[in-house]
Amino acid sequence: FFLRNKTKMSKLATALLACFAAVHASVEPRTGISFPDKHKGGSLSRLGVRTKGPIKVYAVGEYDSGTFLLRMSYGVGAQKMASALADALKPRCKDAKQIEEFEACLLSGLPNGAPKGTELEFATGGSKLSVSVNQKPLGAVGSKALCSAFAAIYTDRNAVCTMNAAGEGAQPAACGLLSPARKGALVGAGVGYLAGKVLG
């Protein structure tokens, strides 16, 4: 009996944690993909969607720290994804060797391609372009020029997609509708209910 109720408490705690995480996230409206409002010290500033014809390939979140999060809305092969970003870099960066190094780095982290739900992270805020896939660091290419070129993919006049301010059309995740008082009440009610079941 105790173990059964302990399991119930664990499930409730997991649900509450997911709810509270959603409070601090914004949803890109065209894809329904959420992005954390804060990420590694940066604040979410803009959101966009990369499309190919009618296909929404990925949603992108830009942070004021210079980090770009790409979250796949449509599955893409590893070579196709890496080549697309490398091709976008070419008119913005003249160093072909650094672009090749970037492409190889990204490919190393996509052994199964970039299926729907994959997260790609590119940090451009320093003197090197750092690459991570699903929160696993893959490496970095030391070049301020490459950092600027990558950021320009989403910020210059020829950006691959339109980026809108995070507050424009973005929706808070469902639990974000709860006020702090309501969140506190929810926690208290849930804990009180299960404690009563366990001790009663």
Side-chain angles (χ1 to χ4, degrees):
F1 173 78
F2 176 77
L3 290 176
R4 184 167 61 251
N5 281 282
K6 186 176 180 180
T7 300
K8 288 181 179 179
M9 290 186 72
S10 177
K11 289 181 177 179
L12 177 60
T14 299
L16 289 173
L17 285 173
C19 182
F20 294 156
V23 171
H24 301 292
S26 295
V27 176
E28 194 292 309
R30 293 176 62 191
T31 59
I33 294 175
S34 65
F35 290 84
D37 292 335
K38 300 285 185 181
H39 181 71
K40 296 182 178 178
S43 297
L44 182 64
S45 58
R46 300 198 301 166
L47 293 167
V49 184
R50 179 69 168 112
T51 60
K52 277 289 186 180
I55 299 173
K56 302 177 184 70
V57 183
Y58 61 80
V60 54
E62 177 188 352
Y63 291 81
D64 60 12
S65 58
T67 294
F68 292 82
L69 286 185
L70 278 56
R71 291 184 166 176
M72 303 303 295
S73 178
Y74 184 85
V76 176
Q79 187 62 60
K80 191 171 184 178
M81 186 66 196
S83 294
L85 290 174
D87 287 345
L89 283 170
K90 289 174 182 177
R92 298 173 170 89
C93 179
K94 296 181 179 180
D95 194 324
K97 184 176 180 180
Q98 289 182 341
I99 294 175
E100 289 177 5
E101 188 178 346
F102 163 80
E103 188 173 2
C105 179
L106 180 55
L107 277 172
S108 71
L110 298 173
N112 301 310
K116 182 177 180 179
T118 301
E119 178 184 279
L120 311 177
E121 179 179 338
F122 304 94
T124 69
S127 59
K128 59 184 179 181
L129 176 58
S130 300
V131 182
S132 300
V133 174
N134 294 329
Q135 301 181 19
K136 179 183 178 181
L138 300 180
V141 181
S143 169
K144 287 186 177 181
L146 192 64
C147 288
S148 297
F150 189 92
I153 293 174
Y154 303 100
T155 60
D156 69 15
R157 61 186 299 176
N158 296 314
V160 298
C161 63
T162 299
M163 299 292 287
N164 299 307
E168 294 180 5
Q171 301 294 324
C175 290
L177 298 176
L178 295 174
S179 67
R182 290 286 293 169
K183 287 184 286 183
L186 177 63
V187 175
V191 173
Y193 172 78
L194 286 177
K197 287 291 185 180
V198 172
L199 299 175

